[in-house]
Amino acid sequence: MNGVQLLLVIVGAIAVTGIAQRRGLQPALVITLVGFAASFIPGFTRLELDSEIILGLVLPPLLYSAALNFSFVSFARNFRPIVGLGVGLVVVTAFVVGGFASWIVPSLTLATALILGAIVAPPDAVTAVAIGRKLGLPKRVMSILTGESLVNDAAALTMFSITLAAVVGTHTLFENPVLLFGYSALVGVLVGLVLAFVATAIRRLLKDSSLETVLGLVVPFAAYLLAEQFEASGVLAVVAAGFAIGSSSSRAGYQTRLQERQVWSSLDVLLEAFVFAYMGLQLRFVIQDLQEAGQSVWAVFGAGALILLVVLFIRPVWVFLSFGRNFLGDKLLRRRFASDERMRERLQRENEARVARGRRPRGFPVFLGWKESLVVSWTGMRGVVTLAAAAGVPVLLASGESFPGRAEIQAIAFIVAVGTLLVQGLSLPFLIRALKLSDPKQEQFDKEQAAHALEVARAASSKVLAEFVASPPPGVDPALIERVTAMAERQSADAERDAVDASEVERRSAYGETFGNLYRRVLKAQRDAVADERDANRLDDDAAREFLEQLDYQEAAIVSRLGFRL
């Protein structure tokens, strides 16, 4: 791929994304279809990207951004369903697809078919999460989907490496696949945590939001490459670094957090648009590879369609076996709800005792209803990892012979990726709307947690204001102290607002420096109090993140209006 082609692809993908969003369409679907059509333009040449470039440059920032903005508490609370989908389902999918593909595709042996299974096993939750966020999926469903996307790539790429090494004739660090996966996961996580610790320490010394943001951009690539040097999972290293830095971000400056939100949001849009454009542009040339290999295009596409059906079928079966115990009948359902209620009461008592002893509370097991399970079962769209792994199948074996079935593997992988994107991606919004998912208990819980965050913040602000009154700055008129304190108290009492009212700030301009410094002290106290409450497990992490984000916007507003006086 030359520079001009790359630039045209990126610009075109961004333009198509904007048009799709304006018309209420799914950008991923539109970009893929437009890319496929554009590949037939006369004179268009194939865009070649090494799989290591896709995995090393595209995947790390996407994973890091998701982990940075995802609650580790939510991840831990939903650990069992996340691991079930992100590891268990990936392994099952790889073996089922491998066995089926070796049966219907004559050119594939069981070993090469397992490579295909590992390639198509991991779903890419980017599109599903974007659709779910737009249509208001319940928080626990979003947590499961996001958490799954953070771990399934590691499981799939590990299986891909093991099976590929067996076929090609190369060696991995450990011959035992279980031992290799354990080493890859453990060392990958350790590398990510160590790098996050170093990056956090450096950020505290910088005191410059631009430099801190630049350092944050380097972290995911450094984590991935460093872990790969140890032959560990670069994916898990990136995820671990994102979790660690995200959990400590509340201690950074507000400018850094606001800047990073915009930077990572923009980078996500850019990379996702490029991946789907690249996927669409490759389809025509995948067909050409089949023809050059002397294979029947229709036969391979027919086999790919059957494998696509298998992939679409496996996930619902797994999901309903995992979560379907909630809806086996009205009588059993009532019994289960009664049992769950008793379990919740017992767990609440145990957690109160654990918190009193300074220990972390245990999370309640996640049981999804049939509507939620149906949505989760239909969110298996494939994406960047399937694309990169398919491109990573080598041309030659270690013996110098041609890799058997390479063209078929790549063609079927693209058929499954594009097929899931079109079938599930197109129908998922209609499914979510038709089911009318809502969780009154979750909505009530969110309101209670938001109210608790506000209560904690108000208590912190009251303490700061009381200290200000007790020990005012020297030489300040007592009447001015009273006015400044009253206005800072009114402002902090409305802490749920997104920003400070500009007109109110202007009216305070006569004593803006005193008010501004006091109000920033109030915001810092509120931020520290909310973060401490979250760290002590007395406040939901998502509620804390939302509240801290509002405080950032308030501080940015006050500095913008009174910065010259502060």
Side-chain angles (χ1 to χ4, degrees):
M1 178 186 292
N2 60 49
V4 175
Q5 285 180 316
L6 179 60
L7 181 61
L8 290 175
V9 170
I10 293 175
V11 173
I14 294 173
V16 173
T17 299
I19 295 172
Q21 289 177 342
R22 289 182 62 182
R23 296 184 176 275
L25 303 174
Q26 299 304 323
L29 305 174
V30 178
I31 291 172
T32 303
L33 294 175
V34 171
F36 179 58
S39 67
F40 288 93
I41 296 175
F44 187 88
T45 58
R46 186 169 193 168
L47 305 179
E48 293 285 358
L49 275 183
D50 188 87
S51 64
E52 292 300 323
I53 294 179
I54 299 177
L55 288 176
L57 292 180
V58 177
L59 187 60
L62 289 175
L63 288 172
Y64 181 77
S65 176
L68 198 66
N69 297 301
F70 185 50
S71 164
F72 181 75
V73 175
S74 296
F75 181 88
R77 184 184 300 136
N78 299 291
F79 183 77
R80 290 176 61 184
I82 287 174
V83 171
L85 292 170
V87 179
L89 179 57
V90 165
V91 174
V92 169
T93 301
F95 278 99
V96 172
V97 169
F100 183 73
S102 66
W103 177 52
I104 67 169
V105 183
S107 59
L108 296 182
T109 64
L110 180 59
T112 54
L114 282 176
I115 293 177
L116 173 62
I119 290 173
V120 302
D124 184 355
V126 169
T127 304
V129 170
I131 295 172
R133 185 180 296 113
K134 180 179 179 181
L135 299 179
L137 276 180
K139 185 179 294 184
R140 56 184 171 182
V141 176
M142 296 292 292
S143 297
I144 290 174
L145 294 178
T146 305
E148 178 193 3
S149 70
L150 296 177
V151 299
N152 61 9
D153 296 338
L157 290 174
T158 302
M159 283 198 67
F160 176 73
S161 300
I162 294 172
T163 53
L164 189 64
V167 172
V168 174
T170 57
H171 296 282
T172 56
L173 188 62
F174 298 103
E175 296 297 331
N176 187 308
V178 177
L179 185 61
L180 177 61
F181 182 78
Y183 167 84
S184 180
L186 178 62
V187 175
V189 170
L190 288 177
V191 167
L193 293 177
V194 170
L195 189 61
F197 175 80
V198 173
T200 301
I202 295 175
R203 291 177 68 167
R204 289 173 181 168
L205 298 175
L206 293 177
K207 303 297 182 182
D208 185 290
S209 60
S210 298
L211 291 177
E212 291 177 39
T213 302
V214 170
L215 178 62
L217 289 172
V218 174
V219 168
F221 303 105
Y224 185 87
L225 294 176
L226 186 59
E228 291 294 319
Q229 288 296 313
F230 289 99
E231 298 188 45
S233 173
V235 170
L236 291 181
V238 172
V239 172
F243 273 141
I245 293 178
S247 63
S248 64
S249 63
S250 60
R251 310 298 181 184
Y254 79 94
Q255 292 173 311
T256 301
R257 286 190 296 274
L258 292 177
Q259 197 171 72
E260 283 190 337
R261 289 189 193 107
Q262 298 301 321
V263 168
W264 285 112
S265 177
S266 301
L267 192 59
D268 286 347
V269 172
L270 173 63
L271 293 176
E272 290 161 13
F274 172 75
V275 166
F276 291 116
Y278 185 74
M279 182 184 297
L281 291 169
Q282 290 298 301
L283 283 176
R284 169 194 166 192
F285 301 99
V286 168
I287 297 173
Q288 288 184 359
D289 290 342
L290 285 176
Q291 294 172 335
E292 293 173 0
Q295 298 293 328
S296 170
V297 174
W298 291 109
V300 174
F301 269 62
L306 293 175
I307 292 172
L308 171 62
L309 292 177
V310 171
V311 170
L312 295 176
F313 179 73
I314 293 173
R315 186 175 177 89
V317 171
W318 179 273
V319 169
F320 278 82
L321 287 177
S322 301
F323 304 121
R325 294 170 295 175
N326 285 6
F327 39 90
L328 297 179
D330 292 341
K331 185 175 181 181
L332 183 58
L333 184 62
R334 287 193 295 269
R335 289 180 181 176
R336 186 54 182 269
F337 278 162
S339 174
D340 286 354
E341 192 61 35
R342 289 195 296 270
M343 289 175 64
R344 290 181 187 277
E345 292 175 357
R346 183 173 69 250
L347 183 64
Q348 184 176 0
R349 292 194 298 269
E350 292 176 356
N351 280 340
E352 289 175 355
R354 290 174 65 88
V355 171
R357 295 194 299 269
R359 301 175 64 185
R360 298 181 68 89
R362 291 195 181 105
F364 186 77
V366 177
F367 299 111
L368 298 182
W370 72 268
K371 292 183 179 181
E372 296 166 326
S373 298
L374 186 58
V375 169
V376 172
S377 71
W378 203 242
T379 54
M381 291 81 81
R382 269 56 179 175
V384 59
V385 174
T386 295
L387 180 70
V393 178
V395 177
L396 301 175
L397 301 175
S399 61
E401 299 177 0
S402 297
F403 192 99
R406 181 176 184 270
E408 292 89 328
I409 290 174
Q410 291 189 329
I412 294 173
F414 272 90
I415 291 169
V416 171
V418 176
T420 54
L421 194 63
L422 294 177
V423 175
Q424 294 178 318
L426 283 173
S427 57
L428 184 60
F430 298 100
L431 178 65
I432 295 174
R433 292 190 185 98
L435 292 176
K436 298 179 180 179
L437 289 173
S438 63
D439 189 351
K441 291 184 178 179
Q442 182 66 54
E443 294 174 1
Q444 181 61 29
F445 176 78
D446 291 342
K447 291 179 181 179
E448 292 173 354
Q449 289 297 299
H452 180 52
L454 183 58
E455 181 182 354
V456 170
R458 285 176 174 171
S461 64
S462 297
K463 184 177 180 181
V464 172
L465 295 174
E467 293 174 352
F468 178 80
V469 172
S471 180
V476 179
D477 185 5
L480 178 60
I481 293 175
E482 184 177 348
R483 289 197 299 271
V484 169
T485 304
M487 283 182 286
E489 187 173 10
R490 286 199 303 272
Q491 188 67 56
S492 62
D494 198 15
E496 68 270 21
R497 292 194 301 183
D498 290 337
V500 179
D501 189 321
S503 60
E504 292 183 13
V505 174
E506 288 296 333
R507 287 197 296 270
R508 299 170 185 146
S509 58
Y511 35 88
E513 181 178 357
T514 304
F515 169 78
N517 289 328
L518 172 61
Y519 189 54
R520 293 189 72 184
R521 285 174 54 191
V522 168
L523 291 175
K524 183 180 185 305
Q526 290 178 335
R527 186 178 292 114
D528 292 341
V530 169
D532 290 342
E533 193 75 1
R534 176 201 60 192
D535 295 341
N537 293 293
R538 293 188 294 266
L539 179 64
D540 180 66
D541 188 67
D542 291 327
R545 284 173 180 263
E546 292 176 5
F547 195 87
L548 292 174
E549 183 176 350
Q550 293 166 1
L551 295 183
D552 288 341
Y553 285 116
Q554 288 194 30
E555 186 165 3
I558 195 68
V559 171
S560 174
R561 303 299 301 183
L562 299 176
F564 68 98
R565 297 175 179 270
L566 300 180

